[in-house]
Structure formats: C-alpha cells, structure tokens
C-alpha cells in the first residue's frame, strides 16, 4: 500500500470521530512524508495544524494507524509549507475523501496496549521518558529521588510511592520513567502502567468475564503496578473495592505500587478512607511548579536533546513568561523551533513574544484601587520599599533619585521598572504606585508599566534586568 493510500485509510477512520469542520480545518492537505523504523512522519501545511494535531490527535492517529499496521510505534508531525501548494502530490484533499456516511460510534481502541501475560495488559510505556532526562530542581528533587530509589529497589522501602502535583508538572514522565528503568534493570519484570480510567475498564471487564478473584491472582505476577491520575477513581466504589484488594495482594507480595494524583491523598474526595490510608503507608512526595532556574534548565536540556541552538536570552524570556506548566513551557519552545525552521531563522524575543501573545500570555492587570488597601497596604508598603531598595541597588542609584524627579534616561528607566514591578508583581493600584513616587499621577504609572511591558517583549537587556531584580526580591 502506498503511503498516500495508507494515510487515506487512517483519515477515513478518524473522520467519523471528529466534527466535520474541525476535520477539514486540521487534516486538510496533510500527508505521510515517511515511515521509518515504525515512525510515521506526517506532513502538515501550517504550524497551527502541527500544534493542533500534535496536541489533540497524536494518540488517536497512532491508534488508528496501528489498527492498519501494528508495526507503527510512533507518529510525529512536520510543517511543510509546500503542502499548501498545488504540486505536492503527497497531501490529501480531505474534502474529497470518501468517508462513511453513517457516523459510527467511536471505537475504544486498545492499540497502544500490550498484553503482558494472559489477562494482563498494560499501556505502552513511552521510552522517551527516562529518569535521566528529567531535569531536577528543588521543586521536584524529592519526587525524582524517590523514583530513583524505587527503580533500584522495587517493592522495597518506598512502597507504595505516591506522587502528586499539578497538571503538566512531570508526574506521568516520572512514573513511566520509573517503569522503564525497572524493565531495564530487573530481569523478567512485568510492569503494568495504566490510567485510572483504564483500570476501571479492566475491572469492569474482569467482573463480567473471569471474576475478580482471578483478576487479583493474576496481578500477583506483576512486579510493578503504576496507576496514573488516581483522582479519577473518585466515586467509583466498585472499582475502589477491587483496587483495595488488588493493592493488598500486591503489597503483601512485595510488589511495587506507584500512584500519581493531582492532589495529596488527604484531599482525595470520593475515595474510600481505607484506600487513602493505604497510600499513607509508603512514601508521599509532591512536585511543585518549577521556579525560574529549573524552567530555564528544562528549556536548555530540551534544546540540547533536540539539537537546536536558541539564544540564551530567548530561553530566559520564555522561562520568565510561562508560568503554568512544564507542558506549556515545552509547547512554547516547540512552537518557537517549528516557526524558526519554517522561516529559516533563529528564534528571537520578538518572535517568541508573538507566540506568547497568541497564547494570551499577557499579565492581567488589577484594576486601580483593588490592591494595597487597609491592612494589606502596610505589608505591601514594606515590600514596595524593598523594590525601591533593590532597583536602586541594582542600578547603583540613590533611592532618592529613583523616586525623585530627575528625568535623565539612566534614572527614568530604572524608575519605570520599579513602578512596573510594584504594580504587576505586588499588585498595587496605579494610584498607590504614584504615591510612592512623589505623588505622581496614575497615568504616569500606567505609561511606565506599558513601556516596560513592551520592552520585555523585545529587549533582552530589560528582560535580564527585570529578572535579576525579581530574583533578588525572591519574586
Ligand atoms: P503530568 O503527568 O504531571 O501532567 P507530564 O509528565 O505529562 O505531566 O509532563 C508534561 C511534559 O513536561 C512532558 O513532556 C514531560 O516530559 C515534561 N516535563 C515535565 N517535567 C519535566 C522535567 N523536570 N524535566 C524534563 N521534562 C519535564
Ligand atoms: Mg499525566
């Protein structure tokens, strides 16, 4: 079968599961560029299609492709603007694609699962997740160390291991990496990795077919059971009961259990107390959102892994402005790389700031008057003074000059930065910022903040300076 026919078949499978408008928008003019060693490279016409497909359809495409050819083990996407043109024969015009007219029910695909032994299957572990390529900072050090400990001695002291933290902070990475490591180091090991949704399905199936006792017995053969996102077991009483027994069985046989969740065991509403108390028996570790330094280190590591060189100031800029998750951090970096490849240029602060703008990454402003009132004002006032102190120290100015009326450029800029920090970081109202600076008008403050905000998007020196002051302030 040609690559084109193969892709057509995949698209025919996907079409009934996606809204027509979305299907046409995102799959139009796509094509398979290559298929090597089980890796299917899909060409897409725009960076937007690239990001969308990668984010929302990667797994589905892989599942569908594997239904046709089980040899395929990964898919990736590449932007090829030539696919927009008429002459590229690899692409498919999905508007003309002959698809099923009856919308079939979405099939539950188990294509990315492996059957380990009779009756026990696991989701495939992604080999890209390793304990080595997980960047360690103070926010995730304990979680990483615990995983290392588990990997070197499964079923030992840290059993169960419970890892919790917010979305996109690396839980799945750590869990799968630990599973990968056990597979490599422990001979004949059976590692089962599953999400709690999957686990529910399995238990339901077991209840229907073979009975739960056999299910439990089978699990004894497993060396390590990993359940990702356990919070989704909430209110699934029957599954919890069964999991409780499976847990005990595994635990008694010194089998390693690793669990992740978006919150600590004590906050897991809808999960039986006796299960929660089981989680408490081992090691509980959290992952916090990485601070600036760790974010920067992650970006540098990802650049190195991908063999791309991006100026440090651009990486600093991304670290500074992405605050939600490592996933988002990676996403912005990928977009920056994709875009620069497309334009054959090196990413700049300017180009990255456009990407961030598209993602709506502007710092929200608090309306005047909300921040810094009453009791809060006293505390905040002290902190505002800290900003003045730090900024003047950083620029080697006297504090009087900084807040005073001197209009020389070398004083104006630091002053504007100080105003910006007090307003945006400490959330003072425009009026209160004005007061600190010799009773200046709120429009002056607004003007200063906007100016600094603009500069932060285009000027690496400003980014560096603001970062340095923020770091000194512990912001
Ligand atoms: P979670 O399961 O907590 O939602 P993931 O494990 O899926 O998060 O992480 C999201 C992405 O960020 C993954 O691609 C992962 O490899 C990456 N990631 C997260 N933390 C780190 C880290 N400390 N070092 C390297 N990559 C990381
Ligand atoms: Mg996850």
């Amino acid at each position: 079968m040609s690559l084109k026919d193969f892709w057509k078949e995949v698209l025919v499978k996907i079409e009934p599961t996606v809204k027509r408008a979305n299907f046409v928008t995102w799959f139009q003019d796509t094509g398979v560029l290559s298929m090597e060693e089980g890796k299917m490279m899909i060409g897409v016409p725009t960076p937007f299609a690239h990001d969308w497909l990668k984010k929302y359809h990667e797994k589905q495409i892989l599942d569908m492709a594997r239904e046709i050819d089980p040899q395929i083990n990964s898919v990736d996407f590449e932007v090829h603007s030539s696919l927009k043109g008429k002459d590229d024969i690899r692409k498919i015009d999905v508007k003309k694609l002959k698809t099923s007219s009856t919308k079939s029910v979405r099939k539950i695909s188990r294509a990315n699962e492996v059957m380990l032994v009779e009756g026990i299957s696991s989701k495939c572990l992604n080999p890209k997740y390793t304990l080595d390529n997980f960047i360690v900072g103070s926010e995730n050090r304990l979680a990483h160390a615990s995983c290392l400990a588990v990997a070197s001695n499964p079923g030992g002291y840290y059993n169960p291991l419970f890892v919790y933290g917010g979305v996109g902070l690396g839980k799945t990475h750590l869990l799968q990496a630990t599973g990968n490591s056990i597979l490599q180091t422990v001979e004949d090991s059976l590692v089962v990795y599953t999400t709690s949704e999957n686990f529910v399905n399995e238990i339901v199936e077991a209840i229907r077919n073979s009975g739960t006792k056999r299910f439990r017995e089978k699990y004894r053969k497993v060396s390590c059971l990993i359940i990702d996102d356990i919070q989704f077991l909430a209110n699934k009483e029957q599954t919890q009961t069964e999991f409780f027994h499976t847990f005990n069985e595994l635990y008694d046989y010194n089998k390693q259990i690793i669990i992740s969740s978006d919150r600590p065991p004590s906050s897991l509403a809808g999960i039986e107390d006796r299960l929660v108390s089981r989680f408490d028996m081992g090691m509980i570790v959290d992952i916090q959102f990485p601070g600036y330094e760790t974010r920067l280190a992650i970006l540098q590591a990802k650049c190195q892994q991908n063999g791309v060189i991006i100026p440090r100031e651009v990486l600093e800029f991304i670290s500074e402005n992405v605050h939600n998750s490592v996933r988002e951090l990676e996403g912005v970096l990928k977009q920056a790389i994709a875009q620069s490849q497309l334009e054959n240029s090196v990413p700049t602060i300017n180009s990255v700031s456009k990407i961030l703008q598209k993602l709506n990454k502007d710092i929200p402003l608090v309306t005047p008057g909300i921040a810094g009132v009453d009791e809060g004002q006293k505390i905040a006032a002290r902190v505002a003074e800290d900003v003045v102190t730090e900024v003047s120290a950083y620029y080697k100015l006297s504090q009087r000059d900084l807040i005073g009326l001197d209009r020389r450029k070398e004083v104006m800029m630091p002053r504007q930065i100080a105003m910006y920090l007090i307003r945006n970081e400490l959330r003072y109202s425009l009026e209160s910022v004005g007061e600190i600076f010799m009773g200046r008008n709120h429009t002056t403050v607004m003007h200063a903040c906007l100016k600094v905000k603009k500069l932060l998007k285009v000027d690496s020196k400003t980014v560096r300076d603001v970062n340095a002051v923020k770091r000194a302030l512990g912001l």
Side-chain angles (χ1 to χ4, degrees):
M1 194 186 329
S2 73
L3 287 182
K4 192 161 182 175
D5 288 340
F6 180 83
W7 187 229
K8 252 188 211 163
E9 275 200 32
V10 174
L11 290 176
V12 167
K13 280 170 177 283
I14 291 175
E15 194 266 351
T17 69
V18 183
K19 278 206 190 107
R20 178 76 190 163
N22 279 343
F23 182 71
V24 172
T25 307
W26 302 115
F27 288 93
Q28 179 65 350
D29 292 341
T30 53
V32 174
L33 303 177
S34 65
M35 191 105 81
E36 273 159 28
E37 289 169 8
K39 180 172 180 165
M40 179 159 103
M41 184 55 80
I42 298 161
V44 297
T46 63
F48 305 109
H50 175 278
D51 296 342
W52 184 271
L53 292 177
K54 181 129 189 102
K55 192 162 174 195
Y56 297 108
H57 295 287
E58 181 173 356
K59 185 178 164 301
Q60 187 190 15
I61 292 172
L62 180 63
D63 288 352
M64 302 299 183
R66 286 177 60 130
E67 280 182 11
I68 306 168
D69 179 358
Q71 303 273 328
I72 294 172
N73 54 37
S74 68
V75 296
D76 210 347
F77 305 86
E78 212 176 272
V79 180
H80 259 255
S81 47
S82 67
L83 289 165
K84 276 191 275 193
K86 268 198 288 221
D87 303 334
D88 201 311
I89 54 160
R90 295 170 295 187
K91 68 180 188 186
I92 291 183
D93 182 356
V94 297
K95 288 183 209 139
K96 292 187 190 144
L97 199 68
K98 213 171 139 283
T99 54
S100 56
S101 50
T102 48
K103 299 265 163 195
S104 59
V105 183
R106 189 167 181 166
K107 247 199 327 193
I108 298 172
S109 166
R110 301 219 153 187
N112 70 341
E113 285 198 357
V114 276
M115 185 66 85
L116 298 175
V117 286
E118 173 58 27
I120 296 189
S121 58
S122 165
K123 288 192 128 191
C124 293
L125 291 174
N126 189 335
K128 84 170 186 191
Y129 295 129
T130 69
L131 290 171
D132 282 343
N133 68 16
F134 187 83
I135 304 303
V136 180
S138 56
E139 307 81 4
N140 56 28
R141 179 161 288 122
L142 190 58
H144 180 256
S146 309
C147 287
L148 276 177
V150 164
S152 65
N153 182 20
Y157 192 61
Y158 294 151
N159 200 21
L161 174 63
F162 190 102
V163 181
Y164 72 90
V167 181
L169 298 189
K171 299 182 298 296
T172 297
H173 184 135
L174 275 181
L175 263 57
Q176 293 214 7
T178 312
N180 277 325
S181 173
I182 294 175
L183 278 179
Q184 271 166 17
T185 50
V186 183
E187 218 175 307
D188 294 332
S189 49
L190 282 183
V191 175
V192 172
Y193 169 87
T194 177
T195 57
S196 46
E197 285 115 318
N198 248 54
F199 197 64
V200 173
N201 289 342
E202 244 179 83
I203 288 182
V204 171
E205 236 166 75
I207 293 169
R208 211 175 38 223
N209 299 331
S210 53
T212 52
K213 190 159 173 287
R214 267 186 63 199
F215 175 80
R216 275 177 234 164
E217 281 165 4
K218 266 187 222 154
Y219 262 95
R220 275 188 213 158
K221 298 187 195 120
V222 166
S223 340
C224 173
L225 172 65
I226 305 174
I227 304 189
D228 211 350
D229 291 321
I230 196 94
Q231 70 272 11
F232 294 119
L233 275 197
N235 303 319
K236 308 238 166 47
E237 281 97 18
Q238 207 177 356
T239 309
Q240 286 183 33
T241 306
E242 197 42 48
F243 178 49
F244 178 73
H245 294 303
T246 308
F247 183 104
N248 291 342
E249 196 90 14
L250 285 165
Y251 188 81
D252 290 344
Y253 280 79
N254 291 329
K255 308 301 176 126
Q256 180 69 45
I257 301 155
I258 312 177
I259 294 161
S260 83
S261 159
D262 65 349
R263 65 203 82 176
S266 53
S267 311
L268 280 169
I271 304 245
E272 294 177 35
D273 286 348
R274 58 176 185 171
L275 253 181
V276 172
S277 72
R278 287 295 185 280
F279 302 155
D280 282 335
M281 293 189 317
M283 179 74 177
I284 299 174
V285 284
D286 68 334
I287 307 185
Q288 295 290 333
F289 181 69
Y292 175 81
E293 280 79 9
T294 313
R295 298 205 289 272
L296 189 58
I298 290 174
L299 288 173
Q300 284 167 336
K302 305 263 167 193
C303 284
Q304 209 173 18
Q305 280 160 26
N306 291 305
V308 292
I309 294 170
I310 293 186
R312 186 182 163 92
E313 70 213 36
V314 176
L315 297 183
E316 282 176 357
F317 182 75
I318 299 176
S319 318
E320 181 56 34
N321 286 288
V322 176
H323 302 281
N324 287 334
S325 72
V326 180
R327 187 172 293 137
E328 189 171 315
L329 200 63
E330 268 191 328
V332 173
L333 181 69
K334 276 186 194 155
Q335 286 202 32
I337 295 171
Q339 192 174 333
S340 67
Q341 279 169 350
L342 192 69
E343 291 163 1
N344 219 349
S345 62
V346 177
T348 60
I349 290 188
N350 208 351
S351 68
V352 169
S353 89
K354 283 194 189 121
I355 294 173
L356 290 172
Q357 267 165 9
K358 254 188 258 145
L359 291 171
N360 252 338
K361 287 251 123 279
D362 249 354
I363 311 155
L365 284 177
V366 178
T367 45
I370 288 183
V373 283
D374 303 338
E375 197 48 36
Q377 186 145 28
K378 268 190 238 137
I379 302 163
R382 273 210 307 278
V383 186
E385 280 173 27
D386 294 343
V387 173
V388 173
T389 312
E390 269 320 320
V391 173
S392 24
Y394 182 80
Y395 286 101
K396 302 195 173 54
L397 297 169
S398 76
Q399 293 187 24
R400 263 178 67 185
D401 279 347
L402 190 80
I403 59 172
L405 300 170
D406 190 340
R407 294 192 54 85
R408 276 176 303 147
K409 191 165 164 254
E410 51 279 30
V411 190
M412 285 280 277
M413 192 60 226
R415 183 181 299 140
Q416 287 169 336
I417 287 179
M419 288 180 175
Y420 166 85
L421 286 172
I422 297 172
R423 167 85 176 123
N424 284 269
E425 294 292 329
L426 309 184
R427 301 284 181 222
Y428 271 54
S429 67
L430 292 168
E431 281 84 349
S432 346
V433 181
E435 265 162 43
I436 295 163
F437 292 84
M438 311 279 280
R440 280 180 170 83
N441 190 287
H442 74 274
T443 50
T444 312
V445 180
M446 198 159 73
H447 169 76
C449 293
L450 284 175
K451 183 169 167 202
V452 175
K453 247 171 105 172
K454 258 194 207 149
L455 278 173
L456 282 174
K457 289 179 180 152
V458 292
D459 180 41
S460 57
K461 182 172 180 318
T462 311
V463 173
R464 248 195 320 269
D465 292 357
V466 169
N467 282 346
V469 175
K470 275 172 74 174
R471 266 202 298 282
L473 286 162
L475 290 173

